[in-house]
Amino acid sequence: MKLMFLAAVLTLQYCSGEEGYFWHITDLHWDFSYVTYGLSCWDKNTSVRGLCGSYFCDSPWVLIEEVIKEAQKIKPDVDFILWSGDTSPHVKPKYMDTELVIKQIRNITELLKGYFPNVTVYPTLGNHDYYPPNQFPPSNNKIYNATYSLWNSWINDESQEQTFLKGGYYTVKTKFGLRIIAVNTALYYYDLETKTLDDPADQFAWLDDQLSLATSRGEKVIITGHVPPGFSPLDGYRQMYPHFNKKFILTVLRYSDVIIALHFGHEHHDNFRLFLTSSGSAVIPLFLAPSITPKTFNRTDLPKPYHNPAIRLIKYDRQTKRQLDILQYYVDLPTANRDKHVNLTLGYIATELYGIPDVMPDALALLVNKFQDPTGVYFKQLIRWYNTNGVQNYPCNDKCHKNFLCAIRYLDDDRYSKCMSNI
Ligand SMILES: *[C@@H]1O[C@H](CO)[C@@H](O)[C@H](O)[C@H]1NC(C)=O
Ligand SMILES: *[C@@H]1O[C@H](CO)[C@@H](O)[C@H](O)[C@H]1NC(C)=O
Ligand SMILES: *[C@@H]1O[C@H](CO)[C@@H](O)[C@H](O)[C@H]1NC(C)=O
Ligand SMILES: *[C@@H]1O[C@H](CO)[C@@H](O)[C@H](O)[C@H]1NC(C)=O
Ligand SMILES: *[C@@H]1O[C@H](CO)[C@@H](O)[C@H](O)[C@H]1NC(C)=O
Ligand SMILES: *[C@@H]1O[C@H](CO)[C@@H](O)[C@H](O)[C@H]1NC(C)=O
Ligand SMILES: [Zn+2]
Ligand SMILES: [Zn+2]
């Protein structure tokens, strides 16, 4: 009897519950003109464009539909889906307008509802989900109204209408009790409408309140959004205005006990970053999922080879909400064009690729220490998958290595620039 009691206590304490999964899809950048004009190709040598996509163009419809369809075949019964924005293509503003932005988002919303009729999707807005791009106002507009009515059935909570219509942000709890905080960080990205403000659409005040409430309720939180804090590796590009970047980091760090992870998009590359306390311990990971669009900007400072379309599956513990693993799927574009068929290939399983027990901060911090060796196997893996192709021996010189390490470890200006100036 005593033994049984002890066993029960032990199980309760260490009980890792059932495993759950969620998909993260991001940066579709659907080129509605792909077949006819390829407006997103920017006159690159793309007169012959593959059926399933080109490395110099945004996504054709076929690619998007096939990726979602294949994902549904691989794992239909996920607990939810994160969809972190950027549905419009990289085309000259004269080819877009507000109605077209809405039309494209509506179409993709219907697509997801069609393939995943029983799964809740938690969408967020990207800088390309507005017209003109990047210029979200800090107040109600047609896009917030339209997306709210499209996504209302997923959000399924009228109490979120007010913040959504005001700033495109909301919070909900999943059926397994995980708190999702969905932020509109396009408000912090090269947006002339918000540049001089302290708190566009009062989102920071709200975020702080929600995290504080989650703390008092004993919840665990995932923050999802489009534009991430921190610096892009290699080119050192800070995605948010400096004062927003700072404020975002401070807010998140105040609640490191409740935040399990952040899942963002926007950079199109496969990468992650760590939030460190002032004493340097890693407390929260920020995961950047690679994009569905294969468009490569052909910049000489960015790593080659080219970027394959990608979608990821995250495995977590439904009870503790700990994140256990990432399964990264991708489309080998030349093969898909040759076979006229999109096949999602499992690129890697994070725990196997990196020899780590899970994708929580402690494991990732130890991994980043191993990245210090530029010739080591783990740093090479990171570089190989940065463009979602797993091709070996792509060059990353000392400068490139340093840039990656500084960007992974330091999200704030002070520590990042100090890291970059140390030879
Ligand atoms: C243009 O693309 C075609 C088809 O991919 C290729 O055969 C050709 O070599 C390319 N031309 C140049 C100048 O890159
Ligand atoms: C979405 O767009 C595709 C390609 O233009 C079209 O085939 C499909 O019918 C559209 N779906 C909806 C729901 O509008
Ligand atoms: C969705 O749920 C309905 C009702 O429970 C069920 O009949 C249907 O098979 C489910 N569809 C999928 C794709 O899981
Ligand atoms: C958005 O919808 C609200 C009511 O739901 C309305 O009051 C407001 O005028 C609408 N905004 C725009 C820009 O149409
Ligand atoms: C990519 O950029 C390089 C250097 O700027 C240029 O030589 C090359 O032609 C470009 N490739 C394409 C396909 O545009
Ligand atoms: C698709 O990829 C899987 C591996 O992920 C492979 O087993 C399968 O044979 C491929 N199918 C086709 C039609 O290429
Ligand atoms: Zn994007
Ligand atoms: Zn973006």
Side-chain angles (χ1 to χ4, degrees):
M1 190 62 196
K2 239 184 192 163
L3 258 179
M4 267 174 72
F5 177 72
L6 188 64
V9 168
L10 280 176
T11 329
L12 265 184
Q13 199 168 4
Y14 295 105
C15 178
S16 37
E18 297 153 64
E19 288 165 358
Y21 289 84
F22 62 93
W23 286 109
H24 182 187
I25 64 172
T26 195
D27 295 86
L28 280 63
H29 292 288
W30 169 21
D31 183 350
F32 53 85
S33 73
Y34 183 86
V35 176
T36 48
Y37 305 109
L39 293 171
S40 66
C41 310
W42 297 351
D43 303 325
K44 297 286 185 211
N45 175 26
T46 54
S47 51
V48 189
R49 294 188 287 279
L51 176 75
C52 301
S54 156
Y55 288 132
F56 296 101
C57 314
D58 278 326
S59 310
W61 169 257
V62 176
L63 173 68
I64 295 174
E65 175 161 30
E66 292 295 314
V67 166
I68 303 300
K69 190 167 149 189
E70 291 294 304
Q72 197 275 345
K73 277 192 212 154
I74 290 171
K75 193 76 189 152
D77 55 340
V78 285
D79 292 351
F80 57 91
I81 296 173
L82 301 180
W83 169 25
S84 53
D86 268 7
T87 298
S88 297
H90 299 87
V91 298
K92 292 199 177 107
K94 68 175 176 187
Y95 299 121
M96 292 299 300
D97 59 40
T98 301
E99 288 314 311
L100 189 48
V101 169
I102 294 170
K103 196 176 152 194
Q104 290 201 283
I105 296 175
R106 180 183 302 124
N107 188 302
I108 303 299
T109 301
E110 295 305 322
L111 179 73
L112 289 168
K113 284 180 179 169
Y115 281 105
F116 290 95
N118 300 333
V119 177
T120 305
V121 178
Y122 300 114
T124 42
L125 293 160
N127 52 303
H128 281 270
D129 299 321
Y130 195 76
Y131 183 84
N134 312 341
Q135 304 309 319
F136 275 104
S139 55
N140 179 250
N141 60 73
K142 275 190 175 172
I143 301 268
Y144 295 159
N145 278 16
T147 47
Y148 185 73
S149 61
L150 288 172
W151 300 340
N152 197 4
S153 63
W154 284 327
I155 296 172
N156 194 25
D157 178 355
E158 273 172 23
S159 71
Q160 299 308 305
E161 177 174 325
Q162 195 232 338
T163 60
F164 197 103
L165 295 189
K166 177 164 111 181
Y169 56 90
Y170 63 95
T171 178
V172 284
K173 226 161 126 174
T174 70
K175 61 181 169 182
F176 292 102
L178 175 62
R179 165 81 43 199
I180 304 288
I181 298 185
V183 287
N184 175 11
T185 48
L187 289 168
Y188 309 141
Y189 174 79
Y190 302 92
D191 182 339
L192 300 172
E193 303 281 321
T194 61
K195 189 176 180 175
T196 59
L197 304 177
D198 276 343
D199 188 5
D202 306 320
Q203 185 173 229
F204 278 119
W206 172 86
L207 177 60
D208 199 287
D209 283 352
Q210 296 310 314
L211 288 167
S212 165
L213 277 171
T215 308
S216 61
R217 293 176 187 138
E219 294 170 346
K220 293 294 179 197
V221 172
I222 279 183
I223 302 181
T224 180
H226 181 74
V227 175
F231 297 80
S232 170
L234 293 193
D235 62 355
Y237 192 71
R238 191 195 334 83
Q239 305 289 357
M240 293 181 180
Y241 284 129
H243 62 302
F244 294 144
N245 189 54
K246 188 171 184 174
K247 209 161 175 163
F248 193 87
I249 294 164
L250 287 175
T251 307
V252 165
L253 276 174
R254 264 201 295 283
Y255 298 99
S256 58
D257 290 349
V258 290
I259 303 172
I260 290 281
L262 290 84
H263 289 278
F264 281 64
H266 181 65
E267 288 187 5
H268 296 193
H269 298 285
D270 182 339
N271 200 213
F272 72 92
R273 289 173 201 155
L274 296 173
F275 285 83
L276 306 186
T277 60
S278 49
S279 62
S281 36
V283 281
I284 312 165
L286 159 64
F287 296 100
L288 303 183
S291 61
I292 287 186
T293 181
K295 186 173 171 65
T296 301
F297 292 88
N298 192 29
R299 286 166 44 177
T300 46
D301 57 339
L302 291 180
K304 296 279 190 299
Y306 298 128
H307 175 74
N308 281 314
I311 180 168
R312 69 170 39 164
L313 189 61
I314 292 106
K315 178 161 115 180
Y316 77 109
D317 184 313
R318 282 177 179 163
Q319 190 184 338
T320 63
K321 316 294 186 278
R322 290 172 65 83
Q323 289 198 179
L324 305 173
D325 218 338
I326 293 175
L327 289 82
Q328 185 61 58
Y329 291 88
Y330 74 105
V331 179
D332 184 65
L333 203 51
T335 305
N337 282 333
R338 189 197 63 204
D339 298 351
K340 302 197 180 345
H341 168 75
V342 167
N343 192 21
L344 275 186
T345 307
L346 177 60
Y348 67 80
I349 297 174
T351 52
E352 290 177 12
L353 183 75
Y354 291 126
I356 46 179
D358 56 36
V359 288
M360 294 293 286
D362 290 348
L364 293 170
L366 289 174
L367 174 63
V368 174
N369 288 341
K370 292 182 186 161
F371 287 164
Q372 307 231 64
D373 176 4
T375 59
V377 58
Y378 295 119
F379 183 69
K380 281 190 170 160
Q381 299 293 26
L382 177 79
I383 297 301
R384 280 172 196 165
W385 287 102
Y386 186 67
N387 267 337
T388 325
N389 47 49
V391 172
Q392 313 227 344
N393 303 326
Y394 129 73
C396 180
N397 61 20
D398 286 353
K399 180 165 172 274
C400 157
H401 174 247
K402 180 170 133 174
N403 291 359
F404 264 91
L405 278 185
C406 293
I408 292 174
R409 284 183 170 146
Y410 305 112
L411 286 80
D412 62 291
D413 282 70
D414 292 349
R415 284 191 286 184
Y416 176 77
S417 31
K418 200 169 154 202
C419 175
M420 291 294 284
S421 61
N422 284 340
I423 310 300

